[in-house]
Amino acid sequence: MTLQAAQPPSDSSRTLYGGKGTRRITVHDIAAAKERGEKWPMLTAYDAMTASVFDEAGIPVMLVGDSMGNTHLGYETTVPVTMDEITLLSAAVVRGTQRALIIGDLPFGSYQEGPVQALRNATRLVKEAGVGAVKLEGGRRSLVQTELIVQSGIPVVSHLGLTPQSVNTMGYRVQGRGDEAAHRLLHDAKAAQEAGAFAVVLEMVPAEVAAEITRSLQIPTVGIGAGPDTDAQVLVWTDMAGLTAGKVPRFTKQYADLRRTLGDAAKAFADDVVGGAFPQEEHTFH
């Protein structure tokens, strides 16, 4: 018996992954996927070319995350990322895609002052970059920001659990362990839903806690290190594709080894140049 690779869902404008359509995916499509129990993938993206590859592959949602600080800008954490940087890269991702819903991150310092600052910067991402939604960290501590942004017509994703912008206070460790912490996380998720968030990212949360939150919410949950029972899964694409150097998070599965592939290509090019094998006649103008 010959085993065949799993196929994406049939061409249907109703499905998120593998569906077809002539318009952008919207938050209404995301809500409909929750109702019919469809699981869906999300990846980060930071440039037009990579985003176009993911769009062609059928990835329905992309996050222009402040993880760009680690992956593309050379920062040690996400904290230094600015609104100028997130806006520039978000606009590139929007230009590189046709179907995916693009979510822009609100970086550290862009919403902590209060709801007016948050709305101003969320509006900038929508007007200047063209994103379809924004994401901000925190549950109860960001509720007034979430409420005002949503009331102003901008969809919001809430980010709970490990929130990298708060690394200086919480460190990099699993969140929601123990009854009290789990209850607090569930309360935060429900509060985010009540404030108008259309989805909640759960990062580095015990699987059973994430499963309970997913069952308790009407809006979808997006897991990253939160077990298999969330409505969607997101990964940083450079981790997923094996481009990240060194150790990657435990929750990451590497689907390729692009770091080795690119390194081999660079070495082959260099060897050809040094040895006189490139350029050849077919690469030369007369």
Side-chain angles (χ1 to χ4, degrees):
M1 180 176 67
T2 302
L3 296 178
Q4 294 183 342
Q7 297 297 312
S10 60
D11 286 353
S12 168
S13 60
R14 285 179 53 82
T15 59
L16 293 183
Y17 171 58
K20 303 295 181 181
T22 58
R23 61 167 177 82
R24 290 272 182 187
I25 289 172
T26 69
V27 296
H28 299 292
D29 299 314
I30 301 299
K34 171 84 171 183
E35 292 179 0
R36 62 177 177 265
E38 178 190 350
K39 288 182 176 287
W40 45 273
M42 178 165 74
L43 286 171
T44 64
Y46 315 103
D47 64 87
M49 183 176 294
T50 307
S52 70
V53 173
F54 297 158
D55 205 42
E56 292 171 4
I59 300 299
V61 184
M62 296 182 213
L63 169 66
V64 188
D66 59 6
S67 49
M68 68 175 64
N70 308 95
T71 63
H72 282 60
L73 301 179
Y75 301 140
E76 291 186 3
T77 70
T78 65
V79 171
V81 175
T82 67
M83 276 302 302
D84 285 345
E85 290 165 340
I86 210 95
T87 302
L88 178 68
L89 271 63
S90 294
V93 170
V94 171
R95 289 192 295 267
T97 56
Q98 296 182 342
R99 180 174 180 265
L101 171 64
I102 309 302
I103 302 169
D105 234 343
L106 287 176
F108 180 76
S110 68
Y111 60 93
Q112 281 83 358
E113 291 180 14
V116 174
Q117 182 202 30
L119 176 59
R120 180 171 61 250
N121 286 315
T123 301
R124 182 180 177 190
L125 280 177
V126 172
K127 289 176 67 69
E128 296 183 25
V131 303
V134 300
K135 180 177 77 66
L136 68 162
E137 294 185 358
R140 285 166 291 180
R141 60 189 169 92
S142 300
L143 289 185
V144 290
Q145 289 93 326
T146 298
E147 288 175 346
L148 180 59
I149 294 171
V150 171
Q151 289 169 5
S152 301
I154 301 173
V156 171
V157 176
S158 183
H159 186 158
L160 305 176
L162 174 67
T163 48
Q165 292 174 14
S166 302
V167 64
N168 290 329
T169 57
M170 68 168 51
Y172 287 105
R173 64 178 187 269
V174 175
Q175 304 295 309
R177 281 182 171 153
D179 291 343
E180 182 178 348
H183 177 75
R184 186 165 56 248
L185 197 59
L186 175 59
H187 180 75
D188 273 358
K190 289 182 176 179
Q193 176 178 264
E194 183 66 23
F198 77 90
V200 174
V201 171
L202 300 173
E203 181 168 358
M204 287 185 66
V205 172
E208 60 274 14
V209 176
E212 175 62 23
I213 292 173
T214 301
R215 288 191 295 267
S216 300
L217 296 184
Q218 294 179 316
I219 61 176
T221 56
V222 183
I224 177 167
D229 295 319
T230 55
D231 298 296
Q233 298 287 335
V234 61
L235 285 177
V236 173
W237 88 259
T238 51
D239 294 343
M240 178 277 298
L243 192 60
T244 303
K247 186 178 180 180
V248 297
R250 173 182 173 182
F251 54 74
T252 292
K253 180 177 179 180
Q254 292 182 305
Y255 289 83
D257 191 355
L258 289 192
R259 192 171 187 87
R260 174 176 292 182
T261 299
L262 285 175
D264 289 346
K267 290 175 183 177
F269 164 70
D271 289 344
D272 278 0
V273 171
V274 172
F278 178 84
Q280 297 179 346
E281 181 63 26
E282 61 266 32
H283 312 120
T284 303
F285 297 100
H286 296 286

